[in-house]
Amino acid sequence: MISPVTFKSRLLRSGAILPLLLAATAPVAAQTAAPTVEAPAAEAAAVPAGAVNGWGIALTDVTPDPSITYGVLPNGMKYAIEHNETPKDSASIRMHFDFGSIAETDEEQGLAHFIEHMAFNGSTNVPEGDMVSILERNGLAFGADTNASTGFEQTVYKLDLPKTDEKTVDIAMMLMREVAGNLLFDPGAVDRERGVVLGEMRARDSVGLRNIKDQLGFVAPDAPYAGRLPIGTTDVLTNAPAGRLKALYHRYYRPENATLVVVGDIDVAAMEKEITQRFGDWKGVGAAGTPLNFGSVDLGRPTEVETFVDPDVPYTASISSFRAWENPADTRAERTRDLLDTLAVGAFNRRIERIASAPDSVIVGGGMGQNDLRDAALGTTIALTAKDGEWASALTTAEQEVRRAEQYGFTHAELDVQLANLETQFKTAAQQADTRRSEGLVNGILSTLDDDSFVTTPAYRLAMFEAVKPQLTLEAVNARFNDMWDGSADLVRVTSKQPLTRDEEAVLDVYQAAKQAEVTAPDQAAAAAFAYDDWGTPGKVVSDMRVDDLGIREIRFANNVRLNIKKTDFEQGRVRYNVRVAGGQLAFPKDESGLPVFVSNMWPLGGLEAHSATDLQEILAGRNVNMGLQVDSDALVSSGATTPADLGLQMKLSAAYLTKAGYRPEADTQWQNAVPVFWSQIISQPQGVAGLIAPYYVANRDSRFGVTGQAPLLESNLAEAKAVIEPLAANAPIEIAIVGDVDEDAAIEAVAASFGALPERALDAPDFGAARQVRFAQDLSPVTLTHDGPADQAMLLDYWKTTDDSDYTREIVASVTARAVDILMRDKLREELGATYGAQVGSDMSDVFDGYGTFSVGATLAPDRLDEAQDAIDEVLATLRASPIDDDLLLRARAPVIEAIAKSRRENGFWLGVASQAQSEADRLDRVRQQLATVEAVTPADIQTFAQTYLTADKKLPIRIVSDKLDAKGAAAAK
């Protein structure tokens, strides 16, 4: 998998780690977690001269998180270990190599990523193809729990263990040790994997990737990135011999380049011993590779402009500037400067949000960010996306808004909003510190590898913020904004769907005209008070019951609003909520397919009667609340997470967005601007067509299931949405679920003072009988759809009609069957044929539409392999129908499902789903009780019967998605 480039701010880092650790007899410089309390952040900790941490990094006046054990083995491999119990009985393991695509020569382009693939294809102690099987047998699903990524500068291997028993941990460490130094690169295995890697290249060949490559080449021509995209080149991937991969592997997969990070419900001392024993004998083979070369940036370069033209690219304009590279030590002073940067960028981007949200705006979105190029230059960029054709407006806005901020600075009101949000972020993180997730902690530790910074605790970061807050003045923020733009001459770049008249000259003319125009000072408007704090007499509770075995308290108010509460300790200081208003898509006109999409994306921008969306962001600054509404199949849903302190405000805000919606014109404007951008992305790749368009054909051309063009989207507007939503808001049943670190009485009070105070409404939803009717495609003739992306991208989709989920056992059998078919398809299409990066298999049995369900198999391929892949799919399913699968395949299919069930019981997200309809669909609570036993009871015969019943050749709807650049014979059309 290819990983993105990310940027970070030291003060906002939480803490976490990366892949698995390497070897040695005794750690060289192990720093064991000390049972001490951090020094107060208000005063810098005294640091002895020459003091270093367990990785040999010189300590500063910043206090590192003492719960992390750092060490370096005698062979140079670094490790970090942290005990953490969220989720309980699980662990996250990452193995990081200081090696990515910029280390490659011209003849090795793409081989860093190819090596990552070969880590799953044969090593000294694990035969080709066995690694994934071993993991599946132990409850890890390929992709979700096991994966890897390759970037410009690093390669990371990932294991998320669903359990931390001795056997599972031992297997994980053994596999990471195999990756570290024991890969074989058998020539036959390499040749079999070529098609998979080339398939990934095809799948990732998008306008976004082409745009990024061009942009990197323009802004940093002397840095290696544009010429070293991790995916590589077709020529190298097709022809590089196995020996070339092996030689590159030995140059960089070495202990001195490796870091293993383990975070989870493990014994730290035992893990440190395991790492030492497991990786202590690891030695590099042959000569080490040269250090990564990050290139340079010419800071004396004059202003230049560039245009990038592609029919699928959105219209954008960007301005970039670079400054001399700095990488100072991680000190309190440096973190204070980072805070000032965060405040300046946040205040500026709020201005861009206001501009984009204006009723007559042509700006879709965008903002400013820092784009540092490691060891080469510090960078600052503003990039704005505009409606089609409006690149000049975007460029003018970008130049003038930067200059306005430089000339006049920000206002006290703007800074107050950013300070409030930042302070709340630090406070919330500190309140939730004891239940931080291992995945986040492991990634936080990894993020420190490239700049020798420290992971600190949320309490430390909050205390430091409070200590330095007096230094975060308007004058200091304005000065830092100007510093960020005090660099090289501007590099101006425009993207366009069509060639521009006079091309770069036209861009330069617009840029120079923008610079010559005067800018005025910003408005000084202050935020108003929230208008929906008082909803009248709180609702009265008329029913109060408990589902004892599931720990759910069920409340009904006098106005028939239902409330379900489950208190847990899984996420400290965090409360999840879900508000369901019965109706959803069932209540929308069947022929207005774009309207649910419009509502789900634009509802927040419509604001409230008393406040615009942008005003609300300032009114609610510093509060943990969410805006918006989603259209689900049978409900309008407002869902998210807040804190115990802000739960009452969240309920009032959600009630206001439902019953006091503003229907402001800026939402319509933004939608009209955004649809062409959105649609061009959808139809530029087969995956987009598969997700949004293909379901229309599967559901017998029912427009509720897919959108076939821009028109239905562009025709959608707030007036049409109002006609559907207002009746639901006035009378439809409402059921609210609140799960997490919540006081039950406080939850009841919060709902009573908001939704409970509404007028009486219906208790039960209408039947919507006619709307629940949908048919699977009646004509099973092959369907061919087109995308407008590269000619070598195609997709094969096969669908079978199943049924709804009314029979729970049948639904579980279908889901385990999908897992088994997924494994078989991966073995056949990926490992045996090398035809695709991976197959997508799924079962979807509806709980809304009567008798409707589908089973699907899909794969992204080259167009000339569609027939071969179709034959392989047919062969796999014929075999499945002919005889039961063996016990090993059943284990591999079922074990990850069983582990996922066990893990889900420790997750608030799972319980929110259970509680969301605990009263209106009380009969479904038995499924929670029966889930594990039902999965464990699935047999090979059950899977065979399911396949024989539903997955037959005569019930299949085949869909192919090919490029419109192919001719009738399937060859690339001449240009």
Side-chain angles (χ1 to χ4, degrees):
M1 187 176 78
I2 304 299
S3 64
V5 178
T6 57
F7 306 100
K8 62 235 179 195
S9 171
R10 283 176 174 155
L11 191 60
L12 300 181
R13 287 185 187 146
S14 52
I17 35 197
L18 186 346
L20 220 28
L21 197 35
L22 304 164
T25 49
V28 169
Q31 171 192 314
T32 302
T36 58
V37 179
E38 291 182 342
E43 299 179 5
V47 180
V52 297
N53 74 354
W55 282 353
I57 300 168
L59 297 177
T60 69
D61 56 357
V62 169
T63 304
D65 184 343
S67 69
I68 304 171
T69 294
Y70 295 94
V72 182
L73 298 177
N75 59 10
M77 187 187 100
K78 295 187 293 188
Y79 62 86
I81 312 168
E82 183 175 15
H83 180 81
N84 185 64
E85 296 184 5
T86 303
K88 193 170 179 58
D89 300 325
S90 64
S92 292
I93 301 174
R94 304 290 184 268
M95 189 161 204
H96 175 283
F97 291 91
D98 294 326
F99 164 61
S101 60
I102 64 172
E104 299 165 346
T105 65
D106 288 346
E107 293 75 25
E108 295 169 335
Q109 292 184 70
L111 297 192
H113 174 234
F114 204 146
I115 289 170
E116 171 213 310
H117 276 243
M118 294 309 299
F120 298 88
N121 282 281
S123 62
T124 301
N125 298 298
V126 181
E128 180 187 355
D130 275 14
M131 179 181 283
V132 173
S133 300
I134 290 171
L135 292 168
E136 287 170 337
R137 293 183 190 108
N138 287 274
L140 281 77
F142 182 69
D145 304 313
T146 66
N147 216 321
S149 63
T150 304
F152 288 116
E153 304 163 9
Q154 64 179 11
T155 302
V156 180
Y157 293 88
K158 160 192 167 184
L159 289 177
D160 285 326
L161 308 184
K163 52 188 176 182
T164 52
D165 60 288
E166 182 177 352
K167 177 185 176 184
T168 303
V169 171
D170 186 67
I171 289 173
M173 298 296 284
M174 179 274 291
L175 293 177
M176 286 299 188
R177 179 62 181 88
E178 292 297 289
V179 169
N182 293 335
L183 301 188
L184 294 178
F185 300 96
D186 174 78
V190 169
D191 287 340
R192 283 186 287 276
E193 192 67 15
R194 290 187 199 277
V196 177
V197 179
L198 289 166
E200 184 174 355
M201 170 183 272
R202 278 192 304 274
R204 297 185 183 279
D205 182 10
S206 65
V207 63
L209 186 67
R210 297 190 294 274
N211 188 17
I212 288 172
K213 180 176 182 178
D214 181 85
Q215 181 182 21
L216 289 170
F218 172 61
V219 300
D222 298 322
Y225 303 105
R228 288 294 183 271
L229 293 184
I231 196 61
T233 67
T234 301
D235 179 62
V236 172
L237 296 179
T238 303
N239 299 306
R244 193 180 301 171
L245 276 80
K246 190 171 186 177
L248 183 61
Y249 169 75
H250 285 312
R251 293 209 308 272
Y252 288 99
Y253 277 58
R254 309 174 67 87
E256 63 269 27
N257 290 337
T259 304
L260 183 66
V261 182
V262 183
V263 178
D265 197 356
I266 43 91
D267 180 276
V268 172
M271 177 56 68
E272 190 168 29
K273 181 179 179 181
E274 169 77 12
I275 289 168
T276 300
Q277 294 175 344
R278 182 75 67 174
F279 293 91
D281 63 349
W282 181 26
K283 296 180 176 62
V285 176
T290 58
L292 300 182
N293 179 7
F294 300 101
S296 62
V297 172
D298 181 5
L299 300 180
R301 185 179 174 188
T303 293
E304 293 185 20
V305 300
E306 191 223 33
T307 61
F308 173 76
V309 179
D310 190 291
D312 295 321
V313 76
Y315 284 85
T316 69
S318 66
I319 301 172
S320 299
S321 178
F322 290 93
R323 313 182 302 285
W325 172 255
E326 299 175 1
N327 187 26
D330 185 6
T331 63
R332 291 167 57 82
E334 182 62 21
R335 288 183 174 224
T336 302
R337 188 171 77 162
D338 285 347
L339 271 178
L340 292 169
D341 290 354
T342 299
L343 293 167
V345 171
F348 182 82
N349 287 342
R350 278 291 299 122
R351 287 188 178 178
I352 299 301
E353 288 178 33
R354 276 196 164 275
I355 292 170
S357 299
D360 58 350
S361 178
V362 299
I363 303 300
V364 175
M368 164 190 166
Q370 299 187 65
N371 58 325
D372 302 340
L373 296 173
R374 183 177 171 186
D375 283 359
L378 303 178
T380 305
T381 294
I382 176 174
L384 302 182
T385 300
K387 67 180 292 186
D388 276 7
E390 293 287 350
W391 65 266
S393 296
L395 180 55
T396 299
T397 299
E399 193 285 326
Q400 293 181 354
E401 289 308 315
V402 169
R403 190 153 45 87
R404 191 189 317 278
E406 288 178 317
Q407 187 171 334
Y408 296 104
F410 301 106
T411 69
H412 284 285
E414 288 175 313
L415 178 58
D416 287 345
V417 169
Q418 298 306 314
L419 282 169
N421 288 335
L422 199 54
E423 184 168 14
T424 296
Q425 183 178 347
F426 286 125
K427 286 181 176 179
T428 302
Q431 292 165 357
Q432 299 175 354
D434 290 344
T435 52
R436 290 171 292 167
R437 298 182 66 84
S438 295
E439 302 97 304
L441 294 173
V442 81
N443 291 332
I445 295 174
L446 288 181
S447 72
T448 67
L449 286 170
D450 61 0
D451 61 5
D452 292 346
S453 57
F454 304 110
V455 173
T456 57
T457 66
Y460 176 88
R461 294 194 293 278
L462 173 61
M464 181 183 160
F465 173 80
E466 292 172 338
V468 305
K469 190 175 179 180
Q471 302 175 43
L472 307 178
T473 64
L474 187 61
E475 293 74 15
V477 170
N478 289 336
R480 278 304 301 159
F481 182 88
N482 287 339
D483 288 345
M484 283 188 279
W485 284 101
D486 184 18
S488 63
D490 289 344
L491 300 176
V492 181
R493 186 171 183 272
V494 164
T495 65
S496 172
K497 295 182 185 301
Q498 299 176 347
L500 306 180
T501 304
R502 295 175 49 242
D503 209 22
E504 277 84 5
E505 287 183 46
V507 174
L508 188 59
D509 287 347
V510 171
Y511 169 73
Q512 291 175 337
K515 287 182 71 69
Q516 292 168 6
E518 293 187 10
V519 292
T520 58
D523 295 334
Q524 298 281 338
F530 185 53
Y532 303 100
D533 194 53
D534 184 359
W535 288 80
T537 304
K540 180 182 178 182
V541 174
V542 297
S543 176
D544 187 347
M545 303 176 65
R546 288 188 182 274
V547 182
D548 291 330
D549 64 325
L550 299 181
I552 298 174
R553 185 176 179 182
E554 299 179 342
I555 302 294
R556 182 165 61 85
F557 293 93
N559 66 350
N560 286 328
V561 168
R562 290 163 162 152
L563 169 64
N564 306 313
I565 309 168
K566 181 174 175 64
K567 181 176 176 61
T568 73
D569 59 2
F570 304 144
E571 297 174 312
Q572 185 180 52
R574 184 178 172 91
V575 179
R576 297 183 185 237
Y577 67 91
N578 183 281
V579 180
R580 286 179 56 88
V581 183
Q585 193 178 39
L586 293 175
F588 279 68
K590 187 175 180 179
D591 59 351
E592 295 184 12
S593 60
L595 196 54
V597 184
F598 167 77
V599 172
S600 295
N601 284 276
M602 291 291 116
W603 196 252
L605 290 178
L608 303 176
E609 291 174 355
H611 309 300
S612 69
T614 52
D615 287 340
L616 278 170
Q617 291 185 2
E618 294 166 9
I619 292 169
L620 302 173
R623 307 299 294 271
N624 283 291
V625 291
N626 305 280
M627 297 177 278
L629 199 68
Q630 297 290 313
V631 181
D632 205 348
S633 297
D634 61 346
L636 303 176
V637 177
S638 172
S639 188
T642 181
T643 62
D646 283 332
L647 177 60
L649 176 60
Q650 179 64 70
M651 290 296 99
K652 292 173 181 178
L653 181 62
S654 293
Y657 257 103
L658 177 64
T659 65
K660 306 292 183 182
Y663 301 102
R664 294 171 179 264
E666 46 262 44
D668 283 337
T669 300
Q670 277 287 80
W671 182 244
Q672 294 296 313
N673 292 345
V675 165
V677 176
F678 163 73
W679 188 254
S680 66
Q681 294 172 346
I682 289 295
I683 64 172
S684 67
Q685 287 189 294
Q687 298 93 326
V689 175
L692 192 64
I693 300 175
Y696 165 81
Y697 295 92
V698 177
N700 205 40
R701 301 177 185 252
D702 188 325
S703 60
R704 295 174 298 174
F705 287 78
V707 180
T708 57
Q710 286 192 67
L713 298 171
L714 291 170
E715 291 166 1
S716 301
N717 55 63
L718 285 171
E720 292 180 344
K722 183 176 183 179
V724 177
I725 291 175
E726 278 201 337
L728 298 177
N731 192 53
I734 292 177
E735 188 164 9
I736 301 168
I738 296 177
V739 174
D741 186 8
V742 61
D743 178 85
E744 291 183 353
D745 292 338
I748 295 170
E749 181 181 345
V751 176
S754 52
F755 288 98
L758 296 175
E760 184 176 350
R761 59 203 309 114
L763 179 62
D764 298 313
D767 180 62
F768 291 113
R772 294 182 185 276
Q773 304 309 308
V774 60
R775 295 193 300 173
F776 189 81
Q778 299 300 289
D779 182 358
L780 299 182
S781 302
V783 174
T784 299
L785 306 175
T786 60
H787 64 90
D788 66 8
D792 64 351
Q793 289 186 352
M795 193 167 188
L796 179 65
L797 293 168
D798 285 341
Y799 284 89
W800 291 264
K801 179 185 183 301
T802 56
T803 187
D804 60 36
D805 75 341
S806 55
D807 183 326
Y808 186 53
T809 298
R810 181 173 54 202
E811 184 191 20
I812 290 294
V813 170
S815 67
V816 177
T817 300
R819 280 281 308 143
V821 173
D822 181 73
I823 293 170
L824 292 170
M825 292 301 173
R826 185 178 69 233
D827 291 347
K828 187 70 173 181
L829 296 176
R830 176 174 173 147
E831 305 303 335
E832 181 180 333
L833 300 180
T836 181
Y837 179 55
Q840 300 83 45
V841 181
S843 172
D844 183 10
M845 291 180 164
S846 178
D847 63 348
V848 174
F849 299 101
D850 295 340
Y852 190 70
T854 63
F855 191 98
S856 61
V857 177
T860 303
L861 310 129
D864 60 356
R865 303 199 72 176
L866 288 170
D867 290 339
E868 179 185 19
Q870 184 64 76
D871 290 343
I873 292 172
D874 293 343
E875 177 186 334
V876 167
L877 293 180
T879 301
L880 195 66
R881 293 190 299 268
S883 59
I885 63 174
D886 60 36
D887 290 340
D888 183 65
L889 178 55
L890 178 63
L891 175 64
R892 292 169 59 195
R894 196 170 56 184
V897 178
I898 291 172
E899 292 303 329
I901 291 171
K903 184 178 179 181
S904 72
R905 298 307 195 267
R906 307 187 294 270
E907 301 282 357
N908 281 339
F910 168 80
W911 287 110
L912 187 69
V914 173
S916 64
Q917 293 175 275
Q919 294 186 60
S920 60
E921 295 191 351
D923 58 311
R924 284 182 171 256
L925 294 179
D926 280 340
R927 298 187 176 207
V928 180
R929 303 177 179 105
Q930 300 165 0
Q931 185 181 22
L932 181 59
T934 306
V935 171
E936 291 176 333
V938 175
T939 67
D942 292 332
I943 292 174
Q944 181 186 20
T945 299
F946 180 88
Q948 291 172 339
T949 303
Y950 296 106
L951 308 184
T952 59
D954 61 324
K955 297 179 180 179
K956 177 180 68 181
L957 172 66
I959 299 177
R960 295 189 177 193
I961 305 171
V962 298
S963 173
D964 60 8
K965 298 176 178 61
L966 291 179
D967 61 22
K969 296 180 180 179
K975 294 184 178 179

